[in-house]
Amino acid sequence: MESKLKINQMLLPHKILTRAITALGLFLPLYMSGVQQANAEVIDRIEINQVGEQAEIQLHFITRIQFKRQRTLKNGDVRYYVTLKDIKPDDPRLVWEKKGSPPSDIVPPFTVTYPELDSSLTVSFGKVIKTRARVAADGQTLSIFTKAIKAPQAEQIALPIVPTAPVIELPIAAAAVVSAAAAVSTEAAARANASADLPEPVIKVEGAGFPTDLPAENQRTPEQVQQEAQQLFVAASDALQTNQIDASIEALNKVLNLPPNVLTQPAQELMGEAREKNGEFAKARVEYELYLRLYPNAADLKQVQARIANLPVSDAKPVPAPIVSEATQRANDEKLKVTGGISQNYYYGNSHTDAFAIDTNNVTTTTRFGGKDQSQLVTSLDLTAQKRTETKDTRLVLREFNRANFMPDQPEEYRWNAVYLEQSARDRKYMYRLGRQSGSSGGMPGRFDGLAAGYSLNSTWRINAAAGKPVEYIRGGNPADAKTFYSGSIDLSRLPDQWSGSAYGVLQYVGGVGGVLERKALGAEAHYFNQQRSYMTQMEYDTIYQKLNLVSFQGNWTKESGTNFYLSADHRRSPPLVLSLNNQWTQSLKELLGEGTVTLQTLRENAIALSQIFNMISVGMSRPMTPTLRLATDFRVSNIGSSGVNTTSTKAPGSNTITVGTQPGAISTGNQYVWSAQAIGNNLFFDNDLGIANYSYSSARDSKSHSLGFSQVTTFREKWRADLSLQLFNSHSDTSGTTTQVRPSVSINYRKSDTLSFTAESGVEQYHTTATGSESKTLRKYFFVGYRWDLR
C-alpha cells in the first residue's frame, strides 16, 4: 500500500494544486507549525518594480548574499556570480531550482535558474538585454536593473521599405549602395585613403629629433594609442552584445579614426556587423566591401564575402504599432490574473565504497558496501492571483515545497514557504502583507507568520512595522517556547549624493506576549547607489546583552573600461545571541524560571558564551582582457573565534536536586585564507558558447586544499543548451588525511516554449581518502530529470 501511495504521488502532481486550492478557502488560519530550514530553496520570491525609466528585478534570497560579477551571452542569458554568505556551495540543503517571472509589462518574461554547474545564477531573457546588478539594502536581495519596455503604442515593428521609382534606371542593390556610400563616404573614404595612400602618421617624441604634424598636447605613443583602442573596442563589443548599437558604432568610429593599430582591422569588420544588426544593410555592405579592399588577405575573407551575399536588398524601417486606447488598456490591467508555475525534479543516486583497514600486523581488511542512496521527487509550486485597479494592487501568494522520499526510513518533507495576502497603493503610499512571508530588513527574523506594513509620510520618510512568529527557529522541545517578535523602522531616502538609510528596533520574546525577553536590538543601515557604484553598511547592537551583534560592509564599483571591483567585510556573532536550554528540559522556559531550576542571568551568560564571533573580509576584481575573455580573481580571509564555558543544570529522575556543571567551549578556528582565479570566455569553440576555468587554493591552521574546475555552456538550435563540467579537488588535513575528488557532469536543457522547459543532469563523483592505517574509495553515480511549467 505504501509503495502505491508513493507512486501515485510521483505520477499525479495535481495533488499539490488541490492543496493550494484548499488553502485559498482557508487562508486566514495561517499560524502553522514551525519547520526547520533544511533543504530549503534559497530564492524566496521574485518581484518587478518601476524605478523611473528603469525596471528593477528583485530576486529575494533566504540568506545574505554577495554579488561579484556578471556575464551576458548572445542568447539572452545573463550569468550572475553570487556567493551565499550563510550557506556553503556544497551544502546538502541546496536544491536546484528554476522559477518563472511574475507578470509584468515593463520587462520581457524571463526564467531564473540556480545553481548552475559553475555555481552561478542564470537569468534567461530570450534576447540580449543590457543589465546591471547590485545587492539591495536588505543584503538578501539581488537587484537587477534594465531599461523598462516602452508602452505598447510606442513599440516599433520592422517593415521593409517600398522603393520609389528611380529617376535613373539602376539595380535596387546598386541604388542602395550608392545611397549608403553617400551617407558614410566621409568617414569610410577617409579611412580607406589614409590606409591605402598615406604613410603612418609621424609623431615627434620629445628629444627624438624628428618632426611631427600633431600639436604637443595630442602627442601619443603607440602604446597609448593601443591602450585607447583596446578600451574603445571592448566597449564597442559589449555595447553590440547588449543591443546598444548606436553606442557601439560611435566607439568603433573612434577606433577607426585613431592611428593604425592592431585593432583597426577587427574594428572595421565589427562596424559592418553593427550596421547589419541595426538594419542598415546598405551601409553594412559598404563597410564589408571596404574591409575586403583594405585587407584582401584576411583570414576570414570568405566569411565576410558570405555576409555580403546574405545581406537583404533594402533596409528595415521602424513604423509605429497600432495604438491601444486608454480604456482598453485600463480594462486589461484590472482583470484578475493568475500566474505562477510548478516544477518537479526526480533525483536518483547510487554509490559503492571500498574501505581498507590496516592493522598493526600490516594485514589489510577490505569492507565493501553501498547501493541506492537517493530516490526522491522534489516539487515546488508558486501561484499568484493579482487584481489591479487605478489606485491599488492586491495579491494572494502561495508557495509550497514538497520532498517525497522513496528511501526507507527517510521522512517526507512538506511545507508552505509563503501564504500571504498583500495590498499596496499603486503610488507606493502604503503596503501591508498578512500571512507567512519572509523579511530580513528592519530586524525581521527571516520567514515568519504575521503582519508587515509600511506607510510613506512623504517622498523622503517612510515608516514600517512588523509582528509575528518566526517559523525557522521554533524550539522543538515545547510549543510554549514559540517565539514572537515586534519590529519597527524608519527609512530616509533622497539624501544628498544618492545616499539613503534606515534605523530600526526589534523585540523578541520566548513564550509569546508576556514571555521572556531574549532580544532587544537597535540597528542602523546606510546605502549609496549610482550607475557605477553601490555601498552598504549595517550595524546592530543588543541592549540586553550589551554586545555588538554585527557590523558589515559591502561595496561594488565598475569602471568605464568594464573592470569591476568588490569589497565585503563582516563582523558578527554566530549563532546570534538567543536563549537556549540545549534541549535539557521538557518544561517550558517560563516554567523552569518560575521553579528556579535555571536563572535568566545564567541563560544570558550562556548565550554570550556560546555565541562565537565570525570575522570575514573578501576582495575581488574582474577585468575584460579582450572582447571575448574576462579574467577575475578573489581573496578571502575569515575566522571563527572561540566560545566560552557553557553552564548546565541537570536534575536526576525522581529527585529535586539540581546539579550544576560546565561544558568546555569550542576553540578558535584560526585564519582561513582562500585565493581563487577565474577565466570567463565566450565564442571560444562555438558561436555564443561560454567557457569558465576556476582555480582555488585554501589554507587553514591544519589543512590545505586545491580545486580546479572547468565548465562549458553551449546553446544550439536556439532552444537547446548543454552544460559540461569537470571538478577536481585535493585536500590534506593533519587529522583526517588526504582526500581527492573527481566530478564530471553534463546537463541538458530544452526550452519547448516560453512557459515549458525540461532539464536533465547526470554525473559521476569519485572520492579517494587515505589516512594513517586506513583508505577508502567511493564511486557515486547520480542523475536528475525535471520540468518547469509556467502559467502566464
Side-chain angles (χ1 to χ4, degrees):
M1 178 63 69
E2 183 179 356
S3 60
K4 289 183 179 179
L5 290 176
K6 291 190 174 181
I7 291 173
N8 286 337
Q9 189 172 19
M10 189 191 308
L11 298 178
L12 298 176
H14 69 270
K15 290 183 178 180
I16 303 273
L17 294 173
T18 304
R19 292 172 179 170
I21 295 172
T22 303
L24 286 173
L26 302 173
F27 175 75
L28 290 180
L30 291 175
Y31 293 101
M32 298 165 272
S33 60
V35 293
Q36 297 302 313
Q37 191 176 322
N39 300 314
E41 295 176 310
V42 297
I43 301 177
D44 180 65
R45 67 187 186 276
I46 303 173
E47 295 180 346
I48 302 173
N49 301 307
Q50 180 101 29
V51 183
E53 296 183 353
Q54 291 188 316
E56 180 184 11
I57 301 170
Q58 294 183 327
L59 306 183
H60 296 270
F61 288 75
I62 66 170
T63 179
R64 297 177 304 129
I65 62 171
Q66 174 183 301
F67 170 66
K68 293 183 176 180
R69 57 190 65 95
Q70 68 183 69
R71 188 66 171 174
T72 302
L73 298 181
K74 291 183 180 179
N75 66 347
D77 286 0
V78 185
R79 292 265 176 129
Y80 298 95
Y81 293 88
V82 177
T83 299
L84 306 181
K85 286 191 171 183
D86 303 318
I87 301 177
K88 294 182 179 180
D90 57 351
D91 195 303
R93 294 179 295 175
L94 281 179
V95 295
W96 184 86
E97 52 187 308
K98 193 170 189 176
K99 295 183 181 292
S101 59
S104 173
D105 55 1
I106 59 174
V107 294
F110 59 86
T111 57
V112 178
T113 305
Y114 182 83
E116 299 286 9
L117 291 179
D118 62 348
S119 298
S120 65
L121 178 147
T122 297
V123 179
S124 302
F125 292 100
K127 61 180 180 180
V128 175
I129 291 179
K130 185 177 182 179
T131 69
R132 60 184 179 88
R134 72 180 188 214
V135 177
D138 62 2
Q140 295 189 192
T141 300
L142 181 67
S143 290
I144 300 172
F145 295 89
T146 185
K147 188 175 181 180
I149 297 177
K150 296 179 181 179
Q153 59 266 28
E155 292 181 352
Q156 303 290 310
I157 301 177
L159 295 177
I161 297 174
V162 179
T164 57
V167 178
I168 301 175
E169 294 294 332
L170 288 175
I172 295 178
V177 170
V178 170
S179 176
V184 299
S185 58
T186 302
E187 60 186 79
R191 293 198 303 268
N193 292 335
S195 300
D197 303 329
L198 299 178
E200 293 188 6
V202 178
I203 301 175
K204 180 177 180 180
V205 180
E206 186 67 26
F210 51 86
T212 178
D213 295 329
L214 296 178
E217 64 271 14
N218 291 334
Q219 295 180 10
R220 288 173 293 181
T221 66
E223 291 78 11
Q224 292 173 327
V225 170
Q226 179 61 35
Q227 183 179 8
E228 182 179 355
Q230 181 172 342
Q231 292 177 351
L232 290 169
F233 188 83
V234 169
S237 302
D238 289 344
L240 189 60
Q241 285 190 2
T242 55
N243 272 351
Q244 305 297 307
I245 302 178
D246 291 341
S248 178
I249 292 175
E250 181 182 354
L252 289 171
N253 273 324
K254 292 180 180 179
V255 176
L256 295 170
N257 285 326
L258 289 172
N261 56 81
V262 297
L263 290 173
T264 303
Q265 178 177 343
Q268 178 62 50
E269 182 180 3
L270 195 62
M271 178 68 84
E273 295 183 22
R275 297 289 190 185
E276 180 181 352
K277 191 172 183 179
N278 206 33
E280 301 174 287
F281 304 125
K283 291 184 179 181
R285 186 184 301 275
V286 171
E287 298 290 358
Y288 284 140
E289 290 179 346
L290 177 58
Y291 178 83
L292 296 178
R293 184 155 64 91
L294 293 175
Y295 310 104
N297 298 320
D300 56 353
L301 186 70
K302 293 184 179 180
Q303 290 90 327
V304 175
Q305 290 173 339
R307 281 184 175 272
I308 294 175
N310 292 328
L311 285 173
V313 172
S314 59
D315 286 356
K317 180 180 179 180
V319 298
I323 298 177
V324 180
S325 68
E326 291 186 8
T328 302
Q329 185 66 39
R330 184 167 57 253
N332 290 334
D333 288 342
E334 294 183 358
K335 290 181 180 179
L336 178 65
K337 298 179 181 179
V338 180
T339 59
I342 183 173
S343 65
Q344 285 191 301
N345 297 289
Y346 174 73
Y347 295 83
Y348 176 86
N350 191 296
S351 61
H352 292 277
T353 299
D354 291 332
F356 309 96
I358 304 175
D359 59 19
T360 56
N361 297 322
N362 206 26
V363 176
T364 302
T365 303
T366 302
T367 305
R368 295 182 177 179
F369 55 91
K372 183 168 63 175
D373 58 25
Q374 185 181 34
S375 178
Q376 58 188 18
L377 179 69
V378 176
T379 303
S380 296
L381 169 73
D382 58 272
L383 291 175
T384 299
Q386 185 176 29
K387 174 74 174 179
R388 282 186 171 184
T389 67
E390 291 185 359
T391 59
K392 62 185 178 183
D393 186 348
T394 305
R395 295 192 301 162
L396 178 62
V397 177
L398 306 172
R399 298 192 191 97
E400 184 201 43
F401 178 87
N402 179 268
R403 182 189 300 272
N405 272 303
F406 307 108
M407 296 290 294
D409 303 323
Q410 292 191 12
E412 176 180 338
E413 182 185 357
Y414 167 74
R415 68 173 180 273
W416 290 99
N417 284 331
V419 186
Y420 63 81
L421 175 68
E422 179 185 284
Q423 189 172 93
S424 60
R426 294 291 295 270
D427 61 359
R428 297 181 176 274
K429 183 74 172 178
Y430 71 87
M431 183 281 297
Y432 72 83
R433 180 183 295 164
L434 174 65
R436 175 159 293 181
Q437 55 190 291
S438 295
S440 59
S441 60
M444 289 188 287
R447 186 171 288 116
F448 66 94
D449 291 338
L451 173 68
Y455 183 80
S456 294
L457 302 175
N458 49 45
S459 61
T460 302
W461 297 93
R462 182 179 180 88
I463 55 175
N464 309 281
K469 297 182 178 181
V471 297
E472 303 292 357
Y473 307 104
I474 292 178
R475 184 177 291 107
N478 195 311
D481 283 339
K483 300 187 180 184
T484 304
F485 82 95
Y486 306 90
S487 70
S489 65
I490 183 165
D491 299 338
L492 177 62
S493 59
R494 298 194 176 184
L495 290 173
D497 299 325
Q498 298 172 303
W499 282 94
S500 63
S502 66
Y504 65 86
V506 58
L507 300 175
Q508 185 161 294
Y509 294 87
V510 178
V513 179
V516 180
L517 182 63
E518 76 161 356
R519 184 184 181 203
K520 185 179 180 182
L522 299 174
E525 302 172 359
H527 329 107
Y528 174 86
F529 301 124
N530 65 18
Q531 294 286 342
Q532 285 79 35
R533 301 185 181 191
S534 66
Y535 307 120
M536 302 188 310
T537 184
Q538 180 184 7
M539 182 182 70
E540 182 180 291
Y541 180 82
D542 197 302
T543 60
I544 293 179
Y545 304 94
Q546 297 183 353
K547 298 291 183 181
L548 196 65
N549 275 338
L550 67 93
V551 178
S552 66
F553 171 84
Q554 184 171 172
N556 293 78
W557 58 100
T558 303
K559 299 175 64 175
E560 293 183 0
S561 62
T563 302
N564 170 268
F565 302 89
Y566 78 86
L567 169 65
S568 179
D570 224 4
H571 171 88
R572 67 180 57 234
R573 290 188 170 269
S574 179
L577 292 168
V578 294
L579 302 179
S580 175
L581 293 174
N582 297 325
N583 295 322
Q584 298 176 58
W585 309 97
T586 57
Q587 299 105 309
S588 69
L589 177 60
K590 192 172 182 180
E591 291 172 342
L592 292 172
L593 291 174
E595 296 173 358
T597 304
V598 294
T599 65
L600 185 57
Q601 181 64 27
T602 298
L603 291 177
R604 287 177 174 170
E605 290 175 355
N606 283 345
I608 297 175
L610 293 173
S611 182
Q612 298 171 268
I613 296 178
F614 170 78
N615 297 296
M616 183 277 297
I617 184 168
S618 177
V619 296
M621 66 167 292
S622 65
R623 177 187 177 95
M625 306 306 295
T626 70
T628 61
L629 177 64
R630 177 179 287 266
L631 299 182
T633 184
D634 305 281
F635 177 76
R636 168 189 167 115
V637 56
S638 62
N639 63 61
I640 300 177
S642 60
S643 64
V645 175
N646 179 31
T647 302
T648 62
S649 300
T650 59
K651 183 188 296 185
S655 171
N656 291 325
T657 302
I658 300 173
T659 303
V660 179
T662 59
Q663 293 179 345
I667 64 174
S668 170
T669 62
N671 286 344
Q672 181 182 22
Y673 303 91
V674 179
W675 174 78
S676 62
Q678 186 181 63
I680 308 172
N682 61 300
N683 296 332
L684 299 176
F685 305 104
F686 309 97
D687 187 34
N688 194 40
D689 71 348
L690 177 69
I692 302 168
N694 291 282
Y695 171 76
S696 178
Y697 171 75
S698 174
S699 175
R701 182 165 49 199
D702 59 354
S703 64
K704 290 180 173 58
S705 66
H706 304 261
S707 65
L708 186 63
F710 305 92
S711 61
Q712 175 74 20
V713 181
T714 302
T715 302
F716 52 97
R717 295 190 177 181
E718 295 185 358
K719 297 184 177 182
W720 289 87
R721 194 188 85 184
D723 294 35
L724 304 176
S725 175
L726 175 63
Q727 303 294 324
L728 308 174
F729 178 80
N730 175 270
S731 67
H732 176 77
S733 170
D734 295 341
T735 57
S736 58
T738 301
T739 300
T740 59
Q741 301 178 22
V742 180
R743 300 197 300 261
S745 60
V746 58
S747 173
I748 301 293
N749 296 269
Y750 172 63
R751 189 179 75 251
K752 181 174 177 58
S753 64
D754 289 339
T755 59
L756 182 62
S757 60
F758 299 90
T759 300
E761 181 180 325
S762 181
V764 175
E765 301 173 346
Q766 186 173 9
Y767 303 87
H768 183 198
T769 301
T770 58
T772 303
S774 65
E775 181 181 3
S776 67
K777 296 180 180 179
T778 299
L779 179 66
R780 185 175 188 271
K781 301 176 183 178
Y782 75 91
F783 73 85
F784 81 81
V785 293
Y787 70 91
R788 168 77 190 186
W789 174 69
D790 290 310
L791 176 65
R792 292 174 178 167

